[in-house]
């Protein structure tokens, strides 16, 4: 599948620079488009959250609407400044579709339905690692993973100069990992190096039967394969992250929430550990 449309959702007060930088570095390899979608709660959503505080008059509603407009204007101005610095055209009518450009759209309402609909008409959703002080970041990641049906790229505190210099794939033969590989073949084709990591767990036999490296060769991708022992007392997530860092990975790819999300929240799990601790960009699919 070609990746031509990369979606960067953002919200009032959020700095999208890291996500834009990551999107641009991918776009220049893929001749893709960066779609920046500004999502803010409208008056109805804000009022629903403060209804218990007492009656709301027309002036308050007008103030809420004005605040949303001002936040959107600030977000668009920040995007224009970033585009000017990076030499990226900001337009809704590009001269060529096989070129890198950015576009800006504004949406009001709840994050989940807005991002679900926007994400489904894009090829990749780029989000921040969840920050407890920024509720939008957690809601965006959850929605991208569970509702959109497209790969999700989570960006941490830094963005490698080349996100595709070395992609490490955490392979466990799961349905989630299989979907991610199928949707990300284009990215893997562009990678300078690909390593498939098999964590040595109880599913090791199943993973041998599903030889991902052999499959990738049929698609012109030469991947190294590495068995990863998991020391006693270490979680699989920690072992995978440690191996990826030791290998100098520029990106980690894994199927997300092979077990239920509730189970991972209660008992821990690979996805939860990676989301909470990864410093490198993480490509995920559910």
């Amino acid at each position: 599948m070609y990746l031509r449309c990369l979606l960067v959702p953002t919200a009032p007060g959020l700095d999208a620079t890291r996500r834009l930088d990551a999107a641009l570095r991918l776009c220049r390899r893929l001749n893709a488009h960066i779609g920046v979608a500004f999502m803010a709660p409208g008056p109805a959503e804000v009022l629903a959250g403060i209804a218990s505080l007492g009656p709301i008059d027309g002036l308050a509603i007008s103030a809420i609407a004005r605040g949303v407009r001002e936040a959107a204007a600030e977000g668009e101005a920040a995007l224009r400044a970033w585009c000017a610095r990076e030499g990226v055209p900001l337009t809704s009518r590009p001269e060529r579709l096989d070129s890198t450009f950015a576009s800006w759209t504004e949406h009001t309402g709840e994050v989940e339905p807005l991002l679900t609909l926007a994400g489904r008409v894009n090829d990749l959703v780029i989000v921040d690692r969840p920050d407890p002080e920024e509720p939008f970041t957690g809601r965006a990641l959850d929605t991208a993973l569970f509702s959109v049906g497209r790969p999700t790229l989570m960006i941490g505190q830094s963005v490698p100069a080349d996100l595709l210099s070395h992609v490490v794939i955490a392979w466990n033969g799961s349905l989630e990992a299989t979907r991610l590989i199928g949707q990300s073949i284009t990215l893997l084709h562009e990678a300078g190096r690909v390593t498939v990591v098999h964590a040595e767990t109880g599913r090791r036999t199943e993973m041998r039967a599903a030889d991902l490296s052999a499959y990738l060769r049929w698609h012109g991708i030469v991947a190294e394969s590495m068995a990863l022992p998991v020391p006693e007392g270490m979680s699989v997530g920690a072992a995978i992250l440690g191996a990826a860092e030791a290998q100098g990975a520029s990106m980690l790819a894994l199927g997300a929430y092979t077990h239920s999300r509730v189970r991972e929240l209660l008992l821990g799990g690979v996805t939860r550990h990676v989301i909470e601790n990864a410093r490198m960009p993480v490509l995920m699919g559910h």
Side-chain angles (χ1 to χ4, degrees), residues 116-138:
T116 296
L117 292 176
R120 288 178 179 174
V121 290
N122 281 272
D123 299 314
L124 177 70
V125 182
I126 302 178
V127 299
D128 282 320
R129 190 168 72 181
D131 179 350
E133 296 185 3
E134 297 287 357
F136 177 87
T137 58

Side-chain angles (χ1 to χ4, degrees), residues 3-286:
L3 273 68
R4 299 297 300 277
C5 302
L6 278 54
L7 178 66
V8 177
T10 193
L14 287 185
D15 182 358
T17 301
R18 289 195 305 272
R19 283 170 291 141
L20 290 171
D21 289 345
L24 180 58
R25 290 167 194 179
L26 291 177
C27 283
R28 284 179 169 160
R29 299 279 289 273
L30 303 170
N31 290 325
H33 154 241
I34 304 170
V36 182
F38 178 85
M39 300 178 181
E45 289 74 32
V46 175
L47 291 175
I50 62 175
S52 61
L53 300 179
I56 306 298
D57 59 21
L59 289 176
I61 294 174
S62 297
I64 293 168
R66 183 171 63 253
V68 171
R69 290 194 301 271
E70 291 173 353
E74 290 174 2
E76 185 176 8
L79 176 61
R80 289 187 180 279
W82 178 85
C83 287
R85 288 196 306 271
E86 301 295 338
V88 177
L90 178 60
T91 178
S92 59
R93 295 183 178 182
E95 295 181 2
R96 295 177 59 93
L97 292 178
D98 60 342
S99 62
T100 295
F101 63 97
S103 62
W104 169 266
T105 56
E106 297 175 16
H107 311 266
T108 56
E110 292 290 348
V111 172
E112 289 79 5
L114 292 175
L115 181 51
T116 296
L117 292 176
R120 288 178 179 174
V121 290
N122 281 272
D123 299 314
L124 177 70
V125 182
I126 302 178
V127 299
D128 282 320
R129 190 168 72 181
D131 179 350
E133 296 185 3
E134 297 287 357
F136 177 87
T137 58
R139 295 173 70 183
L141 176 62
D142 284 353
T143 303
L145 283 177
F146 291 102
S147 300
V148 171
R150 302 291 192 179
T152 300
L153 180 63
M154 183 186 76
I155 303 300
Q157 293 301 310
S158 61
V159 182
D162 182 359
L163 279 79
L164 299 177
S165 64
H166 184 190
V167 178
V168 170
I169 302 170
W171 176 247
N172 62 358
S174 69
L175 177 61
E176 293 78 10
T178 301
R179 287 173 174 158
L180 177 65
I181 297 304
Q183 293 182 324
S184 306
I185 286 292
T186 298
L187 281 181
L188 297 177
H189 265 295
E190 293 293 328
R193 180 183 173 195
V194 176
T195 300
V196 178
V197 173
H198 309 274
E200 292 188 318
T201 66
R203 301 185 67 181
R204 179 63 180 164
T205 301
E206 177 184 340
M207 288 185 291
R208 283 188 183 278
D211 190 337
L212 181 61
S213 296
Y215 168 79
L216 292 175
R217 280 197 297 273
W218 283 101
H219 289 269
I221 300 165
V222 178
E224 305 168 50
S225 184
M226 185 178 78
L228 176 62
V230 181
E232 186 175 351
M234 177 181 286
S235 71
V236 174
I240 288 172
L241 273 183
E245 291 172 354
Q247 290 281 318
S250 57
M251 181 187 294
L252 173 65
L254 79 160
Y257 293 108
T258 299
H259 300 293
S260 75
R261 187 171 186 273
V262 172
R263 180 186 184 279
E264 291 220 359
L265 287 173
L266 293 174
L267 304 178
V270 174
T271 307
R272 180 182 173 188
H273 183 91
V274 168
I275 288 174
E276 292 178 351
N277 296 280
R279 290 175 287 188
M280 69 191 70
V282 182
L283 184 68
M284 292 179 281
H286 178 67

